[in-house]
Amino acid sequence: MKAAQRRPARQRFGKHARSVMADRRWVLLPLCARAAWLQLTDIGDVMPELRQPPAGRAVQEDELCRLLGADQAELQAALRPLLERDVMEKVGSGYRLKVF
């Protein structure tokens, strides 16, 4: 089979779950933050700017809402503990996932 005809590697969602749930911060987080953390690790695999944003191009809050299918109040409830536990970090006017 030629390289151009190869299928792209199949994405295995949830592959980070074991390492995330083994993190000592996991038990300290509310359920909304746990769910967001797991989803963001999967999103970070296909959206590298979530993990390592280029200068001035961090993922904005409205984009996170869209990606997670959450409204702004729900996202704020999940983000606050993730920021406090150093899982996410504020970068300029956006956010970066520090732990995955």
Side-chain angles (χ1 to χ4, degrees), residues 40-60:
L40 290 170
T41 57
D42 284 338
I43 293 167
D45 286 341
V46 294
M47 190 177 179
E49 60 271 21
L50 183 58
R51 294 179 178 179
Q52 295 296 325
R57 301 211 33 204
V59 179
Q60 303 296 309

Side-chain angles (χ1 to χ4, degrees), residues 59-79:
V59 179
Q60 303 296 309
E61 192 170 307
D62 61 332
E63 181 72 1
L64 288 175
C65 287
R66 187 185 68 75
L67 292 168
L68 295 173
D71 65 31
Q72 194 167 20
E74 293 169 331
L75 180 66
Q76 284 298 320
L79 269 180

Side-chain angles (χ1 to χ4, degrees), residues 28-47:
L28 303 173
L29 294 171
L31 291 177
C32 62
R34 290 179 183 187
W37 189 4
L38 285 174
Q39 288 180 313
L40 290 170
T41 57
D42 284 338
I43 293 167
D45 286 341
V46 294
M47 190 177 179

